[in-house]
Amino acid sequence: MSHLPYVVAAWLLLVGLYGVVTSRNLVHAIICLSVAQSSTYILLLSVGFERGGTAPIFLDVPVGTKAVDPVVGALALTDIVVGATVSALLLALAVQAYKHHGSLDPERLGREQD
Amino acid sequence: MTPTLRRRVFLVAAVAAGALLLWGLTGLPDYGVYAGPYGDVLNQVAVAERKAANVVAAVTFDYRGIDTMGEEFILFAAVIGVAILLRAQRGETEQPPDEDAADRHAPATSNAVRVVGLALVGPVVLFGIYVVTHGHLSPGGGFQGGVVLATAALLVYLSGEYVTLRRVSPEVVGDLAESTGAAGYVGVGLLGVAAGATFLANVLPLGEPGALLSAGTIPVLNLAVGLEVAGGFVLLLSEFLEQTLVIRRPGEVT
Amino acid sequence: MAALPVALPVLVAAILVGLAPVCPRRAADAATLATAAVVTLLCLALLVRSLDEPVVYWFGGWTPRDGIALGVAFAVDPVGAALATLAGVLATAALTFSWRIFEAVRTLHHGLMLVFLAGIVGFCLSGDLFSMFVFYELFSVAAYALAGYRTTDPGSVRGALNFAITNSVGAILLLGGIALLYGRTGALNLAQLGQSLATGPADRLVVVAFLLLMVGFFVKAAVVPFHFWLADAYALAPTVVGVLFAGVVSELGLYAVARVYWTVFSSPLAETDGLRGVMLLGAVTTALVGGVMCLLQHHLARMLAYATVSHVGLTLAGFALLGPAGAGGAVLYLVADGMIKGSLFISVGIIDHHLHDVDERRLAGRGRHLPWLAALMVAGALGLAGMPPFGTFLGKALMEEAAVETGLPWLIGLFVVVAALTSAALLRATGRVFCGLGPRGGAGTAATRSPDEAAARHPHVHATQVVPAVGLLAGAVAVGLAPGLADEVQDAAGRFTDRPAYAAAVLRGAGDLARAGAHPPLHLGGPALLATLSALLGLGLALAALLPERLPPRLRGGVARAWGPVAATLRGLHNGSIGDSVTWLVVGMSTFGGLLVLVVR
């Protein structure tokens, strides 16, 4: 069970991708992409976890207390911002799709002929 | 591929991919055992060297400050992208939402929601400012605080007062705040160059850990990021809300 | 100073966007163009400096302690600097082209372009894996925003969504790989990662981490089967953006795989025949699928998209030889090919702007009054075929020689055939558009307009549109003719593939690198013959497509019977569906993963 968080991360990725692939609604697909993205947050934060460690903020505790890895915290922060902004952009595209087609179904979005 | 075929192909591929991933993931050290040197070294030296109590903030804005600059501009680019995509297209007209119209688009809010929402705006803004400015001392920082600040705008919408908010031109304000924050971050970075050190070097006085004015450029960068994130998200919110409430295609009734 | 090529464009972008409501259009145009030009010069300066020793720049002054990197570094070597310079050159050319073309929300657009450029430059110069990821996402997000910009067209919304979603999945996989490596080594700096992995075995984690990073970057590079998003993205992007897409973005994916392999993985995952085989499988598939799809296209931008895919396959073949000779040829080919494709994209942009269409069938014969444009496109097609004096010729010569040395002479056949396919498509399009040749051209639709009327109806082509196209072609020729370049490239490739030297330079500042002796001179006679063969084959294919009535009927029937099902299958696969693209991505990941496991065990 010591690798459970990693298994959760792999599951989230695959389930999210399944949602993207089989989706019939663009907003649903975009949210599934966010789910897939959250697998990376879990993976990053699990990799840096130290059992029994406190937060790496040394205001009330002295330096040298066992603390978790601060670097993965910074990486996850970057990751979350990136994920949120890409979702925003995708949702704007979904709004455009609805305006032009009256539908959010990815199957119904046509393509200019080759 | 037909949807059924696609699902089947995907499931087969996903099972194989999943097996591979799990096989690789078992090569990681056990959960709860952190072996690598990077975090441990930083936990030891960051407070002493940068006088910042929050080591995550020190990593984000000092040790790996260039990554944060990149991240900030990712937000910047995405917000501009949304703005470009959602600005009124040809053939659409803008029709100001009429607060008192019986069949208006935005949902009518009850008085309870209105009161609580508006009452919360002040405390939320204050809390956001607190989170932004204390990023180097406690959990939080520019990104988190900026989002909290943007939530204040969302509360105004939820309280049904979006028309009032529009008078403050949230798009222009958001645009300006975002650009100032982004340019400010780069400016602080160039300050390091001007002082003869490298880009994003921490060249302001460091003070003592735990004080509000400590850790050199870290609180300044927090402010820049907070401004940018707040501005960016307000801009995003206003663009999406314009779509719902204001922009009409020809022939559409309010 | 190494940080400026990234800091300057983002600063200007922020200022431009902030001042957007009040900034006069010409001022914004001039500022953007000037910034792009300055970035190009800065990268060129870095390139020159890095020829002697790598330029290592630690942000914030955080130099490594005891081999542990605390901060983030730019580790600039000639290969990275060359790609960054290429991006700058292409951006400057593209912005010059768009000087006279009015589009709405222009200042915002310029801001995005500068951020796009900054992301690419940062990506090329970076020496830190997570930093590479951040810059990768930076130019990707700017690209999604720039590509989605013209979605007034219903079909293009799905293209933009496909682009963004597929590339985002690639980025997710990249992060997975980074997390795995960090979990094992506790490092993010490329050199430190390499040092850390060098002492360990190529166990399950290393293999899967490499797989994830490789697939993530292959999505950007549009290696088959991760390439289904590319044609739509090219078709809907405005020319300004398309020039950078065609010229440098896909190649960045390959650069990244090569860079990560040779700085992090080359010790545990040694340069074995098995690994070579896996990468070559990807290269050959990509090159052939791209080449055939290129011939099937009638939309000029999509044609260029598949030409990019097939040339990515060829470049990957060079890297897949897993040696300095192949890598050097690949880099040289990549730079010259990028400039040629940029020039072709600008030519397509000129056609679009003046004839208001980019479908070669509808354009048949309408380009008669632009013979110089036809000449430019023919020159570009010859460059794609790898004819001297273009730099692609020299790059291919190096790769072909490396292939023979590695014991894989059949790769030469691949190069000849694929180059012929892509140049054939372009020559066919040129013949149709500018000469009216082809089954539906000639005396048909185009003759209804007299030449004078045609010229009067279309706006004058400005110098600002022509000069960039010509300039880029000239650049590709300069790269091919520069004296001593082959030697410099081989030196640079030698350093690129030398992991311990890189690690020493980055972590300890040990700048003195053993310079390889003079390289044996290249025999160019053989490659020249091969290139001519490619060009002739391409011309032959183009003429066969344009003038099928001249072919003997049995040949025509046989070809049609063989070609029909292939074309139909490929067209059916490339249907632009988002779900399909992601499915193929996962299929590709499992396939490459399975193969990697087999060859590394």
mmCIF file of all heavy atoms in Angstrom, chain C residues 71-98:
data_model
loop_
_atom_site.group_PDB
_atom_site.id
_atom_site.type_symbol
_atom_site.label_atom_id
_atom_site.label_comp_id
_atom_site.label_asym_id
_atom_site.label_seq_id
_atom_site.Cartn_x
_atom_site.Cartn_y
_atom_site.Cartn_z
ATOM 1 N N GLY C 71 19.574 26.511 -8.177
ATOM 2 C CA GLY C 71 18.761 27.422 -8.968
ATOM 3 C C GLY C 71 18.528 26.847 -10.348
ATOM 4 O O GLY C 71 18.724 25.663 -10.604
ATOM 5 N N VAL C 72 18.107 27.718 -11.250
ATOM 6 C CA VAL C 72 17.798 27.333 -12.616
ATOM 7 C C VAL C 72 18.854 27.934 -13.529
ATOM 8 O O VAL C 72 19.243 29.079 -13.350
ATOM 9 C CB VAL C 72 16.413 27.861 -13.026
ATOM 10 C CG1 VAL C 72 16.124 27.541 -14.459
ATOM 11 C CG2 VAL C 72 15.353 27.290 -12.111
ATOM 12 N N ALA C 73 19.294 27.167 -14.500
ATOM 13 C CA ALA C 73 20.351 27.663 -15.379
ATOM 14 C C ALA C 73 19.912 27.663 -16.827
ATOM 15 O O ALA C 73 19.116 26.837 -17.258
ATOM 16 C CB ALA C 73 21.586 26.791 -15.242
ATOM 17 N N PHE C 74 20.476 28.590 -17.558
ATOM 18 C CA PHE C 74 20.500 28.489 -19.005
ATOM 19 C C PHE C 74 21.846 27.885 -19.362
ATOM 20 O O PHE C 74 22.878 28.393 -18.930
ATOM 21 C CB PHE C 74 20.410 29.882 -19.654
ATOM 22 C CG PHE C 74 19.016 30.357 -19.930
ATOM 23 C CD1 PHE C 74 17.910 29.599 -19.603
ATOM 24 C CD2 PHE C 74 18.806 31.576 -20.534
ATOM 25 C CE1 PHE C 74 16.632 30.043 -19.862
ATOM 26 C CE2 PHE C 74 17.522 32.034 -20.811
ATOM 27 C CZ PHE C 74 16.442 31.263 -20.465
ATOM 28 N N ALA C 75 21.846 26.787 -20.079
ATOM 29 C CA ALA C 75 23.113 26.191 -20.501
ATOM 30 C C ALA C 75 23.129 26.233 -22.013
ATOM 31 O O ALA C 75 22.541 25.384 -22.680
ATOM 32 C CB ALA C 75 23.200 24.753 -19.991
ATOM 33 N N VAL C 76 23.792 27.229 -22.565
ATOM 34 C CA VAL C 76 23.681 27.513 -23.991
ATOM 35 C C VAL C 76 24.821 26.859 -24.738
ATOM 36 O O VAL C 76 25.984 27.153 -24.477
ATOM 37 C CB VAL C 76 23.722 29.035 -24.241
ATOM 38 C CG1 VAL C 76 23.495 29.316 -25.703
ATOM 39 C CG2 VAL C 76 22.682 29.729 -23.393
ATOM 40 N N ASP C 77 24.478 25.976 -25.651
ATOM 41 C CA ASP C 77 25.492 25.425 -26.543
ATOM 42 C C ASP C 77 25.093 25.777 -27.966
ATOM 43 O O ASP C 77 23.993 26.261 -28.196
ATOM 44 C CB ASP C 77 25.651 23.922 -26.314
ATOM 45 C CG ASP C 77 24.500 23.128 -26.880
ATOM 46 O OD1 ASP C 77 23.410 23.699 -27.082
ATOM 47 O OD2 ASP C 77 24.675 21.918 -27.095
ATOM 48 N N PRO C 78 25.961 25.548 -28.945
ATOM 49 C CA PRO C 78 25.639 26.016 -30.289
ATOM 50 C C PRO C 78 24.320 25.477 -30.828
ATOM 51 O O PRO C 78 23.618 26.188 -31.557
ATOM 52 C CB PRO C 78 26.816 25.500 -31.129
ATOM 53 C CG PRO C 78 27.930 25.361 -30.176
ATOM 54 C CD PRO C 78 27.327 25.014 -28.864
ATOM 55 N N VAL C 79 23.963 24.251 -30.473
ATOM 56 C CA VAL C 79 22.728 23.691 -31.028
ATOM 57 C C VAL C 79 21.519 24.472 -30.525
ATOM 58 O O VAL C 79 20.658 24.900 -31.299
ATOM 59 C CB VAL C 79 22.602 22.201 -30.661
ATOM 60 C CG1 VAL C 79 21.291 21.645 -31.118
ATOM 61 C CG2 VAL C 79 23.743 21.415 -31.261
ATOM 62 N N GLY C 80 21.442 24.672 -29.221
ATOM 63 C CA GLY C 80 20.319 25.422 -28.658
ATOM 64 C C GLY C 80 20.288 26.849 -29.175
ATOM 65 O O GLY C 80 19.236 27.381 -29.537
ATOM 66 N N ALA C 81 21.461 27.476 -29.203
ATOM 67 C CA ALA C 81 21.504 28.860 -29.658
ATOM 68 C C ALA C 81 21.110 28.959 -31.126
ATOM 69 O O ALA C 81 20.457 29.919 -31.542
ATOM 70 C CB ALA C 81 22.902 29.439 -29.446
ATOM 71 N N ALA C 82 21.496 27.963 -31.929
ATOM 72 C CA ALA C 82 21.141 27.989 -33.347
ATOM 73 C C ALA C 82 19.626 27.927 -33.520
ATOM 74 O O ALA C 82 19.049 28.651 -34.335
ATOM 75 C CB ALA C 82 21.794 26.820 -34.086
ATOM 76 N N LEU C 83 18.983 27.069 -32.738
ATOM 77 C CA LEU C 83 17.521 26.979 -32.846
ATOM 78 C C LEU C 83 16.858 28.263 -32.381
ATOM 79 O O LEU C 83 15.871 28.711 -32.967
ATOM 80 C CB LEU C 83 17.009 25.818 -32.006
ATOM 81 C CG LEU C 83 17.046 24.468 -32.714
ATOM 82 C CD1 LEU C 83 16.632 23.376 -31.771
ATOM 83 C CD2 LEU C 83 16.109 24.493 -33.905
ATOM 84 N N ALA C 84 17.393 28.859 -31.313
ATOM 85 C CA ALA C 84 16.828 30.110 -30.834
ATOM 86 C C ALA C 84 16.983 31.198 -31.887
ATOM 87 O O ALA C 84 16.061 31.986 -32.136
ATOM 88 C CB ALA C 84 17.505 30.523 -29.525
ATOM 89 N N THR C 85 18.154 31.239 -32.530
ATOM 90 C CA THR C 85 18.362 32.227 -33.585
ATOM 91 C C THR C 85 17.400 31.984 -34.731
ATOM 92 O O THR C 85 16.827 32.924 -35.290
ATOM 93 C CB THR C 85 19.808 32.150 -34.113
ATOM 94 O OG1 THR C 85 20.698 32.042 -33.027
ATOM 95 C CG2 THR C 85 20.141 33.373 -34.936
ATOM 96 N N LEU C 86 17.209 30.718 -35.077
ATOM 97 C CA LEU C 86 16.254 30.385 -36.144
ATOM 98 C C LEU C 86 14.878 30.922 -35.812
ATOM 99 O O LEU C 86 14.211 31.524 -36.662
ATOM 100 C CB LEU C 86 16.193 28.862 -36.321
ATOM 101 C CG LEU C 86 15.160 28.332 -37.310
ATOM 102 C CD1 LEU C 86 15.479 28.782 -38.718
ATOM 103 C CD2 LEU C 86 15.100 26.814 -37.264
ATOM 104 N N ALA C 87 14.458 30.735 -34.552
ATOM 105 C CA ALA C 87 13.148 31.239 -34.158
ATOM 106 C C ALA C 87 13.080 32.748 -34.319
ATOM 107 O O ALA C 87 12.091 33.296 -34.807
ATOM 108 C CB ALA C 87 12.850 30.842 -32.711
ATOM 109 N N GLY C 88 14.155 33.422 -33.909
ATOM 110 C CA GLY C 88 14.178 34.869 -34.038
ATOM 111 C C GLY C 88 14.099 35.314 -35.482
ATOM 112 O O GLY C 88 13.346 36.228 -35.844
ATOM 113 N N VAL C 89 14.878 34.638 -36.349
ATOM 114 C CA VAL C 89 14.865 34.983 -37.772
ATOM 115 C C VAL C 89 13.468 34.796 -38.350
ATOM 116 O O VAL C 89 12.938 35.653 -39.060
ATOM 117 C CB VAL C 89 15.882 34.105 -38.534
ATOM 118 C CG1 VAL C 89 15.674 34.196 -40.025
ATOM 119 C CG2 VAL C 89 17.293 34.522 -38.187
ATOM 120 N N LEU C 90 12.851 33.668 -38.036
ATOM 121 C CA LEU C 90 11.514 33.396 -38.567
ATOM 122 C C LEU C 90 10.503 34.406 -38.052
ATOM 123 O O LEU C 90 9.639 34.873 -38.804
ATOM 124 C CB LEU C 90 11.080 31.983 -38.184
ATOM 125 C CG LEU C 90 11.797 30.867 -38.923
ATOM 126 C CD1 LEU C 90 11.499 29.534 -38.259
ATOM 127 C CD2 LEU C 90 11.358 30.821 -40.375
ATOM 128 N N ALA C 91 10.619 34.759 -36.751
ATOM 129 C CA ALA C 91 9.667 35.720 -36.203
ATOM 130 C C ALA C 91 9.830 37.072 -36.873
ATOM 131 O O ALA C 91 8.845 37.731 -37.225
ATOM 132 C CB ALA C 91 9.871 35.852 -34.689
ATOM 133 N N THR C 92 11.081 37.499 -37.069
ATOM 134 C CA THR C 92 11.312 38.780 -37.725
ATOM 135 C C THR C 92 10.746 38.758 -39.143
ATOM 136 O O THR C 92 10.077 39.704 -39.574
ATOM 137 C CB THR C 92 12.820 39.093 -37.777
ATOM 138 O OG1 THR C 92 13.397 38.807 -36.516
ATOM 139 C CG2 THR C 92 13.063 40.537 -38.133
ATOM 140 N N ALA C 93 11.002 37.665 -39.861
ATOM 141 C CA ALA C 93 10.483 37.570 -41.222
ATOM 142 C C ALA C 93 8.953 37.610 -41.221
ATOM 143 O O ALA C 93 8.337 38.320 -42.021
ATOM 144 C CB ALA C 93 10.972 36.278 -41.879
ATOM 145 N N ALA C 94 8.351 36.863 -40.298
ATOM 146 C CA ALA C 94 6.891 36.797 -40.270
ATOM 147 C C ALA C 94 6.296 38.164 -39.939
ATOM 148 O O ALA C 94 5.297 38.583 -40.527
ATOM 149 C CB ALA C 94 6.434 35.751 -39.252
ATOM 150 N N LEU C 95 6.903 38.863 -38.979
ATOM 151 C CA LEU C 95 6.370 40.172 -38.602
ATOM 152 C C LEU C 95 6.555 41.186 -39.720
ATOM 153 O O LEU C 95 5.701 42.058 -39.921
ATOM 154 C CB LEU C 95 7.040 40.657 -37.311
ATOM 155 C CG LEU C 95 6.571 39.906 -36.071
ATOM 156 C CD1 LEU C 95 7.491 40.181 -34.897
ATOM 157 C CD2 LEU C 95 5.145 40.302 -35.721
ATOM 158 N N THR C 96 7.662 41.087 -40.467
ATOM 159 C CA THR C 96 7.840 41.965 -41.614
ATOM 160 C C THR C 96 6.745 41.695 -42.637
ATOM 161 O O THR C 96 6.160 42.630 -43.194
ATOM 162 C CB THR C 96 9.206 41.704 -42.283
ATOM 163 O OG1 THR C 96 10.209 41.649 -41.293
ATOM 164 C CG2 THR C 96 9.529 42.795 -43.285
ATOM 165 N N PHE C 97 6.456 40.420 -42.861
ATOM 166 C CA PHE C 97 5.411 40.069 -43.818
ATOM 167 C C PHE C 97 4.086 40.683 -43.436
ATOM 168 O O PHE C 97 3.332 41.176 -44.269
ATOM 169 C CB PHE C 97 5.279 38.546 -43.885
ATOM 170 C CG PHE C 97 4.072 38.089 -44.628
ATOM 171 C CD1 PHE C 97 4.066 38.090 -46.009
ATOM 172 C CD2 PHE C 97 2.930 37.685 -43.962
ATOM 173 C CE1 PHE C 97 2.953 37.681 -46.712
ATOM 174 C CE2 PHE C 97 1.815 37.278 -44.659
ATOM 175 C CZ PHE C 97 1.822 37.270 -46.028
ATOM 176 N N SER C 98 3.768 40.681 -42.130
ATOM 177 C CA SER C 98 2.437 41.115 -41.735
ATOM 178 C C SER C 98 2.329 42.622 -41.567
ATOM 179 O O SER C 98 1.293 43.124 -41.150
ATOM 180 C CB SER C 98 2.036 40.423 -40.434
ATOM 181 O OG SER C 98 2.766 40.975 -39.366
#
